[in-house]
Amino acid sequence: MEVEKETKTKTLIEVKEPGPLIITGNFILKDIKRDKETIPGEVWLCRCGKSGDKPYCDGSHKNI
């Protein structure tokens, strides 16, 4: 019997100063407000609270 190797995928969360959280890798993003579930591969999430497209970053932090 052959044993399958478990493949661990990496997810990286970067904090940009000043700026968003950048999440890359293999993950599922559940957006309850929009009733969506996606596997984006990369997403930029707002930390400043100024984005007009929350939870996603739209670059509004540049005006702070």
Side-chain angles (χ1 to χ4, degrees):
M1 184 169 118
E2 187 176 333
V3 178
E4 290 183 25
K5 292 182 181 179
E6 182 180 331
T7 304
K8 292 186 179 183
T9 57
K10 294 182 180 179
T11 300
L12 176 64
I13 301 173
E14 295 178 77
V15 179
K16 293 294 184 179
E17 292 293 341
L21 288 176
I22 302 171
I23 305 171
T24 56
N26 187 15
F27 60 94
I28 297 171
L29 180 66
K30 292 185 179 187
D31 186 340
I32 295 171
K33 184 177 179 182
R34 295 179 178 128
D35 193 29
K36 286 177 30 177
E37 186 173 301
T38 58
I39 304 172
E42 180 176 286
V43 68
W44 294 45
L45 299 178
C46 176
R47 291 189 315 128
C48 73
K50 302 288 184 187
S51 176
D53 191 28
K54 289 180 208 159
Y56 308 103
C57 176
D58 67 3
S60 293
H61 61 275
K62 295 175 185 175
N63 298 324
I64 295 177

